[in-house]
Amino acid sequence: MRVQGRAREQAAIDEVVRAAREGRGGALVVRGEPGAGKSVLLADAAARATGVQVLRTQGIESEAPLPFAALERLLRPVLDRADRLAAPQARALGVVLGEEHGEVDRFLVFLAALNLLAEAAAAEPVLAVVDDAHWLDDASAAALLFVARRLQRERVAVLFGAREGDVRSFDGGGLPELVVAGLDDDGVAALLAAQAGAPVAAGVAARLRASTGGNPLALVELPEVLSSDQLAGRAPLPARLPVTGGVERVFLDRTRRLSADAQRLLLVAAADDSTRVGTVQQAARALGVGPTALDEAERSGLVRVAGTQLELRHPLVRSAVYDAATSQERRAAHRALADALGEADADRRAWHRAAGTVEPDEAVVAELEQAAERARRRGGHEAAAAAYERAAELTAAPAARARRLFGAATSAWLAGDPARARALADAASTTAADPLLRADLARLRARVEWNTGSVARAHRMVLTAAHEVAPADPRRARELALFAAALAGAGADVDGVEAAAAAPAPGPADPARDRWLAELTAGLDHAAAGRWAPAAGVLRPLFAAARIADGDDEDLLPNLAVAAMHLGDDEAGADYHGRMLARARDSGAMVLVLYALTRLAAGDVVAGQWAAVEARASEALALGEETRQPVLAAMPRATLLLLAALRGDETAYDALLPAVEPALAEEPVGTLGGMLRDVVRWARGLRAADPVAAHRHLAAMSYGPLVRSAAVDRVEAALRAGEAAVAEACAADLAGFAAATGQAWAAAAAEHARALLAEGADAERHFRAALAHHERSPRLVARARTQLAYGEHLRRVRRRVDAREQLRAALATFEEVQARPWAERAAQELRASGETARRRDEPADASLTPQELQVVGLVRQGLSNREVAAQLFLSPRTIDFHLRNVFAKTGVTSRTQLVQLALA
């Protein structure tokens, strides 16, 4: 039947499909209340999309615990192209489909879905129709949203249909949306006329629209209960229309006119999630349903059978029938369905058995645990959490219940649901007696806190747990003590307590990792207490020894990087974070990629690698938003804010600051809280025109590594604000840190600060000492700032020729990194010295976008387009598009030339 009254909506959908045909992939979320016509619009779009391959799937309420079930249905027609995927992606997809055994990261599955659709679209444009998106299983929803945001240059359009006002909603994550409202009077009249085969009076159409809100599903039921005279206005309409009780009520009334057997079959169909007619009939027979029930249900129009598939006319039929049944009737239907399913449907069977059970049952629990394990290996962490939690509900023994709740909590955390993970872990803790389980629960609970909550609370949790578990498991105690020491450095109030004392020292026979854990804990204890000489004495040899640490060690490697950051060891920090990034990219661990990129970008700021800062922070920000990690997205956004302040990019700064401020308002935000606030304070201090305001922002900084990295800015601001004593204290603190740790950059900054506080020959002596230290430091912008300050000093004492050498070198660096405020200052000083600053040629990569810079960096490592795509969670076609842009902007014509190209 032709769609009536929806020209605006059809045009919006057509535009998305047209853009995809032209290689501009995109997505649209079609929203509306039940019965608004979303499904009709999606079906209409699919029917009218000629020359396009249409793929379909839909969310099914009872299928919510089955990971990737909806995604599998969507991809099934194009699975023959899976052999064209990169091997890790093909394997991940095979594990999800049950064709291979093993464990995969969920984001590799997401990337496989993206590239599989891209492969299909290379032959013919693809329209992916995803109806009832609000009922998608969580893993499929996450995968499809990932795909929808990364289509870019693909010939793929994704249409989501989602119901509004339901108990479960679909968060489109910022995708374009189309709200389907009720039909207007003309649309109502056209729809009723088409349905009844006769004209409908304008006044009747207006009243029916007012009574139904223009809801198409409600309207199409009316011609069956209203006469042609009533529709034509020749007879009065009834005082109470049959749809005023709701559309579900209409379906329920129709159901109750059927025989008892047909009603029982409809209940089985409503409880079923396989959509297989054979499964429904087998389960119905087990409930005593006769052979004619299916024919009767089909004739009623409430179900449709196409081949081996059985579909309910509308999702509201499912909810109307299921909700109207008694709990005993529903449980019987689920038990019958479980008995009808075989090993190929083990997950469905487990959930039907659970839905048919109210008392503790270890046999059902065993099936749920197996389903949870399968979901976990596939990356379906939401489904695993649900299965473990339901298993716990059906467990009588407290110890076993605690263990299953811990499994649920762990999966909830991996699914990115910290609130649920916290609640489940707390529930498990009430009955957990085993000391090892209690320690693991404390670690998980603390992990939630140090990522999203209170650092102080997390510190107390891991320290207490380390003491408690030490007699039973010294290694667990050492791991927990390490976390406590790291949290102390992140701002936890330790009140003089040393984390190393919470765990026994390793013996000579213990593995190297145990010794490294103990040494790292001791080093971090020293750092947290400001004992820099002993900290360096422990950590420097450890950094050298632990270079062979396993890249998969999620306890040791990140905390080695944290220790390097506290000690100011730029090389070690970049090495550890670089190894983490490489490993995470290879394995498809997107959240770990996000973490490593964020830390590397922060290091690049002080190293003066500002093109890398922009590329890495931009990628991390996009990943944070796409993985629904607002806390993790806040840090790269703040880093970009600082970069904008350093570069004097007012437009970018003014756009980023309002986006960062909501994260600052949320107290607390875990270990990133202190860093986040100080990065923003640093940026605000640089941007403040008023010297007192600039000093106020910079003086408020408290996170040690950032305080020291911003030392020159803090000294300059204090002097401009007339706070010489503050500047002297800052210089003295930095000098003490430099002497204890031997860090050249810190010694250079301390000498620079002393030069600003001195006059005449003393100032020059400190400037020269600073430049000598800079020769051993990779922090290029810091060196240029010393050259600028020294050049300014030399010009003021009328040594113009000597000043020019320093100012030229400073200007070259500032122009290279696009530090406009300092470049203008250096150029002005050069002019004042009697030399005209010549404008440098713009570096070849100056016009490249952050993503193009990432592509260039990986291509220069010798990676193919397909390998680059896997590293950046994009499709090869998108990489090819970016690479063509790079060639056009830089003038190179081959990958070989790109490798040889001099970049800033």
Side-chain angles (χ1 to χ4, degrees), residues 443 475 479 482-483 512-514 516-517 520 548-560 576 579-580 583 592:
R443 181 193 301 213
R475 181 168 299 158
E479 291 169 351
L482 172 58
F483 290 130
R513 181 179 182 272
D514 285 62
W516 294 342
L517 287 171
L520 183 53
I548 61 170
D550 186 353
D552 290 335
D553 194 324
E554 294 184 5
D555 293 337
L556 188 63
L557 204 62
N559 284 307
L560 282 166
Y576 291 131
R579 287 165 61 189
M580 289 168 60
R583 174 62 182 165
L592 191 55

Side-chain angles (χ1 to χ4, degrees), residues 26 214 274 434 441 628:
S274 72
D434 175 56
L441 279 164
R628 312 292 183 90

Side-chain angles (χ1 to χ4, degrees), residues 262-324:
Q263 289 186 52
R264 201 172 295 121
L265 181 136
L266 281 174
L267 174 58
V268 172
D272 172 62
D273 52 21
S274 72
T275 72
R276 294 193 293 266
V277 64
T279 300
V280 172
Q281 284 189 299
Q282 185 178 341
R285 281 197 301 272
L287 295 174
V289 173
T292 63
L294 180 58
D295 290 339
E296 184 182 353
E298 280 191 272
R299 282 193 294 270
S300 74
L302 294 171
V303 300
R304 290 189 293 266
V305 174
T308 62
Q309 300 298 300
L310 182 148
E311 296 179 359
L312 295 169
R313 173 182 171 180
H314 191 276
L316 290 178
V317 175
R318 183 185 304 276
S319 55
V321 172
Y322 193 83
D323 293 346

Side-chain angles (χ1 to χ4, degrees), residues 142-500:
L144 291 168
L145 284 170
F146 174 90
V147 168
R149 293 192 193 96
R150 292 187 163 246
L151 292 171
Q152 298 181 9
R153 309 308 302 178
E154 306 304 333
R155 298 196 303 168
V156 179
V158 181
L159 299 178
F160 295 95
R163 189 188 302 176
E164 289 184 329
D166 211 310
V167 293
R168 184 176 165 113
S169 61
F170 175 70
D171 181 359
L175 292 178
E177 295 195 353
L178 172 68
V179 177
V180 182
L183 295 170
D184 59 18
D185 289 357
D186 291 340
V188 169
L191 179 62
L192 288 172
Q195 194 74 12
V200 176
V204 172
R207 182 175 166 196
L208 295 178
R209 184 189 64 78
S211 299
T212 63
N215 185 290
L217 186 59
L219 289 164
V220 297
E221 298 295 325
L222 292 175
E224 294 191 18
V225 294
L226 298 178
S227 68
S228 57
D229 286 343
Q230 287 174 316
L231 291 171
R234 294 188 293 270
L237 293 171
R240 183 181 181 278
L241 290 171
V243 294
T244 55
V247 180
E248 284 193 16
R249 186 76 212 177
V250 174
F251 289 138
L252 186 57
D253 288 343
R254 187 183 295 185
T255 299
R256 285 178 171 165
R257 292 196 291 269
L258 300 176
S259 69
D261 271 8
Q263 289 186 52
R264 201 172 295 121
L265 181 136
L266 281 174
L267 174 58
V268 172
D272 172 62
D273 52 21
S274 72
T275 72
R276 294 193 293 266
V277 64
T279 300
V280 172
Q281 284 189 299
Q282 185 178 341
R285 281 197 301 272
L287 295 174
V289 173
T292 63
L294 180 58
D295 290 339
E296 184 182 353
E298 280 191 272
R299 282 193 294 270
S300 74
L302 294 171
V303 300
R304 290 189 293 266
V305 174
T308 62
Q309 300 298 300
L310 182 148
E311 296 179 359
L312 295 169
R313 173 182 171 180
H314 191 276
L316 290 178
V317 175
R318 183 185 304 276
S319 55
V321 172
Y322 193 83
D323 293 346
T326 68
S327 60
Q328 185 173 339
E329 289 170 335
R330 290 197 292 265
R331 287 194 297 272
H334 283 295
R335 287 194 295 269
L337 283 164
D339 291 340
L341 293 168
E343 280 302 317
D345 291 297
D347 291 347
R348 284 190 168 90
R349 184 178 62 196
W351 277 103
H352 282 302
R353 291 212 194 287
T357 305
V358 291
E359 298 291 336
D361 188 322
E362 281 301 311
V364 175
V365 166
E367 288 198 46
L368 282 169
E369 282 197 298
Q370 292 167 11
E373 263 304 292
R374 285 189 291 268
R376 185 190 63 77
R377 290 196 297 270
R378 296 170 186 163
H381 300 302
E382 301 91 347
Y388 278 127
E389 185 175 12
R390 181 61 177 141
E393 291 171 356
L394 295 174
T395 300
R401 187 187 314 120
R403 179 175 57 78
R404 286 156 187 158
L405 284 171
F406 172 62
T410 302
S411 292
W413 171 249
L414 293 172
D417 192 343
R420 188 179 178 200
R422 179 188 291 117
L424 289 164
D426 286 346
S429 297
T430 62
T431 58
D434 175 56
L436 304 188
L437 177 58
R438 290 187 63 81
D440 291 343
L441 279 164
R443 181 193 301 213
L444 175 61
R445 186 66 180 79
R447 190 182 295 276
V448 174
E449 286 296 332
W450 80 59
N451 279 280
T452 66
S454 166
V455 173
R457 190 178 301 121
H459 179 266
R460 288 194 301 272
M461 287 177 175
V462 290
L463 198 60
T464 300
H467 280 290
E468 291 179 352
V469 80
D473 190 333
R475 181 168 299 158
R476 265 185 174 86
R478 291 181 195 115
E479 291 169 351
L480 289 163
L482 172 58
F483 290 130
L487 291 167
D493 183 6
V494 300
D495 195 25
V497 176
E498 301 274 314

